[in-house]
Amino acid sequence: MIDAVGQYIKYIQYERKFSDYTIREYSTDIELFAKFLAETCGNENGPLSASSKDVREWLVFLLEKQESKATIHRRVSSLKSFFKYHLRSGNVKKNPAQNILLPKKQQQLPNFLEEKQTENLFPLEIATDSYPVVRQNVIIMLFYLTGMRRAELINLKVSDINRQRKYLTVLGKRNKQRNIPLPDWFMQQLDIYTRLRMETFGNENNYLFLTDKGKPLYPKFVYLLVRASLQSVTTMTKRSPHTLRHTFATHLLNAGADLNAIKELLGHTSLAATQVYAHNNFEKLKQTYKHTHPRS
């Protein structure tokens, strides 16, 4: 079992170039399935010996545990990918997760901030020489101005800033690069930050954003920083870097941006992933109509 899972993890890590987060999720899903096989089905031979019946029983088990439909879809998707790899490798003769019927997943519309709520997030000047304060403000601005993912921000290097042409080079999923333009006023804020960063930590580390000890940022650090910043402007339960990513895309769409342009800026591989913002926009339009039209 360990070898089969290990082979697959190496495949998605080094060949498919999945993110660290996705690798952890897929690995956890497959190990949970293997544990279910051993403890419930009495199958000690590992997931490669599983049948379609085993997968269906696991699905029932997950439903009885009242796991969310989105989580169940991801867990089964992890299994499908795992078996697909081993099918191509000749380690199994069929994919037992291939034709499993899944519960219908309710579409979750992205949470985002209203434009008025973002006004207090972005001071025109950062009148302080405190590195943590300046870093926090620049990070919040950057998330909203670019829509980048948390992992993308963490991995930004000083050398990714193109000051002459005023854009950032972002390394996204599957090592796909994209250039995101930045406004003049933010370039000035970024210059203030990078000077302060240099004065505080020197040139030893090329990562753009560092902790108070001069180390690269880590996911929980960024999550807590964003959550604390958004707490002053919204009562939403979900206050994460992805909230600002959704806000970026929604505000662009509201301002008339082309959906394909938003797709490129977000680093989506297909337009289907971007179209949820169009649906979000339509839902807002329906609510406006409902509350304002005299015959609605």
Side-chain angles (χ1 to χ4, degrees), residues 93-149:
K93 294 183 178 180
K94 65 178 182 178
N95 187 337
Q98 186 59 47
N99 296 315
I100 299 298
L101 293 176
L102 294 171
K104 187 174 181 180
K105 185 168 61 173
Q106 184 176 5
Q107 186 179 33
Q108 296 291 325
L109 296 179
N111 289 315
F112 63 93
L113 301 176
E114 298 292 341
E115 290 185 35
K116 287 184 178 179
Q117 292 177 306
T118 64
E119 292 175 1
N120 296 327
L121 283 177
F122 315 115
L124 295 177
E125 294 185 8
I126 306 174
T128 179
D129 59 356
S130 167
Y131 176 74
V133 173
V134 176
R135 176 192 58 207
Q136 177 169 336
N137 286 329
V138 171
I139 285 176
I140 297 299
M141 291 179 196
L142 198 55
F143 273 131
Y144 175 66
L145 290 171
T146 67
M148 68 175 62
R149 302 175 179 93

Side-chain angles (χ1 to χ4, degrees), residues 91-258:
N91 297 325
V92 294
K93 294 183 178 180
K94 65 178 182 178
N95 187 337
Q98 186 59 47
N99 296 315
I100 299 298
L101 293 176
L102 294 171
K104 187 174 181 180
K105 185 168 61 173
Q106 184 176 5
Q107 186 179 33
Q108 296 291 325
L109 296 179
N111 289 315
F112 63 93
L113 301 176
E114 298 292 341
E115 290 185 35
K116 287 184 178 179
Q117 292 177 306
T118 64
E119 292 175 1
N120 296 327
L121 283 177
F122 315 115
L124 295 177
E125 294 185 8
I126 306 174
T128 179
D129 59 356
S130 167
Y131 176 74
V133 173
V134 176
R135 176 192 58 207
Q136 177 169 336
N137 286 329
V138 171
I139 285 176
I140 297 299
M141 291 179 196
L142 198 55
F143 273 131
Y144 175 66
L145 290 171
T146 67
M148 68 175 62
R149 302 175 179 93
R150 176 173 56 179
E152 293 169 347
L153 179 131
I154 289 173
N155 289 317
L156 280 176
K157 309 295 191 300
V158 176
S159 55
D160 291 328
I161 305 171
N162 189 317
R163 286 183 168 81
Q164 184 176 4
R165 301 184 65 182
K166 298 174 184 175
Y167 68 75
L168 269 178
T169 299
V170 176
L171 187 64
K173 291 183 176 181
R174 317 288 195 274
N175 285 340
K176 183 181 178 182
Q177 284 189 340
R178 67 186 188 279
N179 296 326
I180 305 178
L182 298 171
D184 292 343
W185 67 266
F186 179 71
M187 291 301 300
Q188 296 173 9
Q189 301 297 332
L190 196 55
D191 285 341
I192 292 171
Y193 167 76
T194 51
R195 283 198 298 270
L196 183 57
R197 177 197 173 284
M198 178 68 70
E199 292 169 5
T200 308
F201 299 111
N203 228 352
E204 293 182 7
N205 201 317
N206 191 36
Y207 283 94
L208 179 58
F209 295 108
L210 304 172
T211 67
D212 296 349
K213 296 182 179 180
K215 302 295 183 183
L217 301 186
Y218 48 92
K220 189 173 182 179
F221 182 100
V222 178
Y223 171 78
L224 293 175
L225 181 149
V226 172
R227 185 172 177 81
S229 296
L230 297 189
Q231 188 172 6
S232 63
V233 299
T234 180
T235 57
M236 287 192 307
T237 303
K238 292 184 178 180
R239 302 190 300 273
S240 69
H242 237 66
T243 302
L244 290 173
R245 179 171 165 85
H246 296 325
T247 301
F248 163 80
T250 302
H251 289 185
L252 282 181
L253 189 65
N254 288 345
D258 179 73

Side-chain angles (χ1 to χ4, degrees), residues 21-59:
Y21 176 81
T22 302
I23 291 169
R24 285 196 301 272
E25 294 281 287
Y26 276 37
S27 178
T28 299
D29 294 338
I30 297 165
E31 288 170 2
L32 285 174
F33 178 63
K35 183 179 179 182
F36 170 80
L37 289 176
E39 295 180 354
T40 307
C41 304
N43 184 342
E44 300 286 350
N45 297 321
L48 288 187
S49 61
S51 64
S52 296
K53 180 175 178 290
D54 293 328
V55 178
R56 286 194 297 271
E57 288 181 356
W58 190 48
L59 177 60

Side-chain angles (χ1 to χ4, degrees), residues 5-28 30 78 81-82 85 88 174:
V5 176
Q7 286 178 20
Y8 172 71
I9 296 303
K10 286 181 180 179
Y11 164 70
I12 62 175
Q13 182 176 12
Y14 297 112
E15 294 188 40
R16 296 295 305 277
K17 306 293 184 183
F18 282 11
S19 69
D20 291 341
Y21 176 81
T22 302
I23 291 169
R24 285 196 301 272
E25 294 281 287
Y26 276 37
S27 178
T28 299
I30 297 165
S78 299
S81 178
F82 171 78
Y85 164 75
R88 287 199 307 268
R174 317 288 195 274

Side-chain angles (χ1 to χ4, degrees), residues 258-278:
D258 179 73
L259 205 58
N260 278 297
I262 297 173
K263 166 184 170 291
E264 294 302 318
L265 289 168
L266 290 174
H268 285 160
T269 54
S270 83
L271 193 60
T274 318
Q275 285 174 334
V276 66
Y277 298 107

